Amino acid sequence: MESGFGIVLTTVAAPEDARRLADGLLDQRLAACAQTLPIQSAYRWKGAIRREPEILLLIKTTAALYPEVEAFLRARHPYETPEIVWLPIAAGSADYLAWLAAETKTPR
């Protein structure tokens, strides 16, 4: 079962970048909600293991808007290779999903 809604994950190094991306997505109605969480990341990059603090964004949107969300993030993300991952919401409360739909624009 898929609801037509999902969460896009991305990470940034600086809180101001997280705020800028979240505000832009909300302003353009590409997302109904964008949560930010401080995390500690460990990853391999260019042959070395790195450990750094990051900010994780959880971006709630519709499946139909995902291509626009991805394009928005690619154009404005500070990382050379940003994490942009779509996680479909299999099910959710009807009231919440109706709110999510109402707060996002109809895709082009």
Side-chain angles (χ1 to χ4, degrees), residues 65-100:
L65 286 173
Y66 173 76
E68 287 184 68
V69 171
E70 181 178 346
F72 176 95
L73 292 173
R74 286 187 181 282
R76 293 163 181 82
H77 204 289
Y79 287 1
E80 180 182 338
T81 306
E83 170 187 10
I84 304 172
V85 175
W86 168 257
L87 300 174
I89 296 173
S93 74
D95 291 344
Y96 180 78
L97 296 178
W99 168 81
L100 202 160

Side-chain angles (χ1 to χ4, degrees), residues 3 11-12 14 17 19 32 38 40 43 45 66 69 76 81 94 108:
S3 66
T11 55
V12 293
D17 288 328
R19 222 175 355 266
Q40 185 66 35
Y43 57 94
W45 181 249
Y66 173 76
V69 171
R76 293 163 181 82
T81 306
R108 294 180 219 163

Side-chain angles (χ1 to χ4, degrees), residues 2 8 20 22 28 35 37 40 43-44 47 55 61 67 75 77 81 83 91 93-94 99-100 104-105 108:
E2 191 170 319
V8 178
R20 180 180 51 79
Q28 292 189 27
Q35 297 168 312
L37 303 162
Q40 185 66 35
Y43 57 94
R44 182 176 295 282
I55 308 297
T61 191
H77 204 289
T81 306
E83 170 187 10
S93 74
W99 168 81
L100 202 160
T104 52
K105 71 176 186 172
R108 294 180 219 163

